[in-house]
Amino acid sequence: MEEEPEVVEHFFGVYLLYCINPKYKGRTYIGYTVDPKRRIKQHNAGKKYGGAWKTSNRGPWDMVLIVHGFPNSTSALRFEWAWQHPHVSRRLKHIPKKKSSQKAFEFCLTVLSEMLKVGPWCCLPLTIRWLDYEFSKDYYGYISPPLHMPICYGKVASCKIKRAKDAKVSVIQPQDSQSAVEKLCPLCGSIMTERDSISCVKPKCCLIAHLICLAKVFCQSGMILPIDGTCPACKTNVLWGDLVRKKNGCYRDLLRETDTDTSCSDSDDT
């Protein structure tokens, strides 16, 4: 039975194609997509059906790997461009040029591994996903991302964010008669609005704080963007990227599933 793909909301991905046509075997292509399933079909169908001219009439192509978790399309497109042009990108000039004896696919993986170690990409909550298991067995060691970036296996499907239809899953969820606009940030004591607030991704955690305040708590010395941190309320480690994804509307189903659970009591602020 064919495996079910993992469904990811707010999906922005940069993928690596490998040509399996004997005539062009070994060629690679790097691209950006919000829908991996649709995109590989376009590549294999040809330019007439939306595929890139570089891949048209050279297929079939196999989408072997995809990097996703970018906060927006701009971030993903910049990653795509740098991966395509490592010797033009000012952040990747330390990478040696491809050797004549080196396979194109191996060089792409080498560049990717280096990209994940430099800013701004090293701070993003990215996921490296092998879509082709056979390739992952042979090339697993070529990629060594930071510890907060997981390496996953299997198909992935994108879906649009499911907007809230009721107040139960809004960003600010008052625990008393106090209106949402009067909710106070537990970190600075100032009034919050839905626009400038962020909440913990853990379903039973009640933390709602200013986005800037929590970012300062999470940021370590010398960091511009936080990577992860310990939630002041539930004391669990969470990725900053997951908090931003929740603010953007992701994880609504998770909130609905736990809506009937016992709500956590207000944490004591010191």
Side-chain angles (χ1 to χ4, degrees), residues 161-173:
I161 293 175
K162 298 176 182 178
R163 299 296 178 184
K165 295 182 179 180
D166 51 60
K168 292 182 179 180
V169 291
S170 60
V171 174
I172 292 185
Q173 304 173 43

Side-chain angles (χ1 to χ4, degrees), residues 8-67:
V8 177
E9 298 174 306
H10 200 63
F11 188 95
F12 303 100
V14 180
Y15 58 84
L16 176 60
L17 298 185
Y18 182 86
C19 185
I20 54 180
N21 184 328
K23 186 177 180 180
Y24 304 101
K25 190 171 183 179
R27 292 195 182 188
T28 60
Y29 179 85
I30 295 167
Y32 156 80
T33 186
V34 295
D35 188 337
K37 184 178 180 180
R38 180 186 65 192
R39 192 63 186 136
I40 188 61
K41 287 182 177 180
Q42 290 175 325
H43 278 298
N44 285 322
K47 185 179 178 181
K48 182 179 178 181
Y49 298 93
W53 70 269
K54 287 186 178 180
T55 60
S56 187
N57 299 320
R58 292 179 175 86
W61 294 84
D62 185 13
M63 188 178 289
V64 298
L65 181 144
I66 191 166
V67 181

Side-chain angles (χ1 to χ4, degrees), residues 254-266:
L254 184 61
L255 288 171
R256 289 192 180 94
E257 289 173 5
T258 58
D259 186 55
T260 56
D261 294 348
T262 304
S263 299
C264 62
S265 59
D266 293 337

